[in-house]
Tab-separated table of all heavy atoms in Angstrom:
chain	number	residue	atom	x	y	z
A	310	ASP	N	1.017	-16.666	-43.911
A	310	ASP	CA	1.596	-17.838	-44.575
A	310	ASP	C	2.581	-17.436	-45.666
A	310	ASP	O	2.800	-18.164	-46.607
A	310	ASP	CB	0.499	-18.728	-45.156
A	310	ASP	CG	-0.236	-18.031	-46.283
A	310	ASP	OD1	-0.117	-16.797	-46.368
A	310	ASP	OD2	-0.908	-18.723	-47.055
A	312	ARG	N	5.471	-17.257	-47.740
A	312	ARG	CA	6.666	-18.080	-47.927
A	312	ARG	C	7.056	-17.920	-49.389
A	312	ARG	O	6.482	-18.566	-50.248
A	312	ARG	CB	6.328	-19.540	-47.625
A	312	ARG	CG	7.523	-20.452	-47.589
A	312	ARG	CD	7.071	-21.892	-47.555
A	312	ARG	NE	6.552	-22.320	-46.278
A	312	ARG	CZ	5.626	-23.280	-46.144
A	312	ARG	NH1	5.134	-23.869	-47.208
A	312	ARG	NH2	5.211	-23.646	-44.963
B	41	GLY	N	2.473	-27.350	-39.074
B	41	GLY	CA	3.475	-28.123	-39.793
B	41	GLY	C	3.064	-29.547	-40.103
B	41	GLY	O	3.874	-30.346	-40.557
B	44	LYS	N	-1.260	-29.616	-43.593
B	44	LYS	CA	-2.603	-29.218	-44.040
B	44	LYS	C	-2.538	-28.343	-45.278
B	44	LYS	O	-3.191	-28.617	-46.291
B	44	LYS	CB	-3.314	-28.425	-42.924
B	44	LYS	CG	-3.302	-29.095	-41.577
B	44	LYS	CD	-3.965	-28.216	-40.527
B	44	LYS	CE	-3.224	-26.932	-40.210
B	44	LYS	NZ	-2.035	-27.077	-39.392
B	45	THR	N	-1.735	-27.287	-45.193
B	45	THR	CA	-1.635	-26.372	-46.320
B	45	THR	C	-1.137	-27.102	-47.554
B	45	THR	O	-1.648	-26.922	-48.657
B	45	THR	CB	-0.690	-25.210	-45.969
B	45	THR	OG1	-1.232	-24.516	-44.871
B	45	THR	CG2	-0.529	-24.266	-47.136
B	46	THR	N	-0.143	-27.949	-47.355
B	46	THR	CA	0.411	-28.681	-48.485
B	46	THR	C	-0.660	-29.549	-49.148
B	46	THR	O	-0.760	-29.590	-50.371
B	46	THR	CB	1.599	-29.535	-48.021
B	46	THR	OG1	2.490	-28.697	-47.286
B	46	THR	CG2	2.335	-30.129	-49.200
B	90	GLN	N	-4.576	-17.946	-46.766
B	90	GLN	CA	-4.386	-17.536	-45.375
B	90	GLN	C	-4.067	-16.041	-45.284
B	90	GLN	O	-4.498	-15.363	-44.375
B	90	GLN	CB	-3.251	-18.360	-44.766
B	90	GLN	CG	-3.120	-18.173	-43.272
B	90	GLN	CD	-2.192	-19.195	-42.665
B	90	GLN	OE1	-1.726	-20.095	-43.333
B	90	GLN	NE2	-1.925	-19.063	-41.395
B	166	ASP	N	-7.757	-21.791	-46.686
B	166	ASP	CA	-6.560	-22.049	-45.876
B	166	ASP	C	-6.557	-21.120	-44.669
B	166	ASP	O	-6.175	-19.962	-44.767
B	166	ASP	CB	-5.297	-21.846	-46.707
B	166	ASP	CG	-4.061	-22.320	-45.964
B	166	ASP	OD1	-4.217	-22.802	-44.822
B	166	ASP	OD2	-2.954	-22.212	-46.512
B	167	GLU	N	-6.961	-21.640	-43.553
B	167	GLU	CA	-7.017	-20.862	-42.303
B	167	GLU	C	-7.505	-19.444	-42.539
B	167	GLU	O	-6.825	-18.489	-42.200
B	167	GLU	CB	-5.631	-20.817	-41.653
B	167	GLU	CG	-5.059	-22.194	-41.465
B	167	GLU	CD	-4.007	-22.235	-40.367
B	167	GLU	OE1	-4.017	-21.345	-39.504
B	167	GLU	OE2	-3.206	-23.166	-40.375
B	198	VAL	N	-9.047	-25.647	-44.110
B	198	VAL	CA	-7.877	-25.956	-43.294
B	198	VAL	C	-7.860	-25.069	-42.067
B	198	VAL	O	-8.090	-23.877	-42.156
B	198	VAL	CB	-6.588	-25.740	-44.106
B	198	VAL	CG1	-5.384	-25.640	-43.192
B	198	VAL	CG2	-6.395	-26.856	-45.106
C	2	MG	MG1	-0.695	-23.746	-43.267
Side-chain angles (χ1 to χ4, degrees):
Chain A
D310 66 343
R312 188 191 285 151
Chain B
K44 309 177 293 285
T45 299
T46 309
Q90 189 168 355
D166 189 0
E167 306 203 22
V198 163

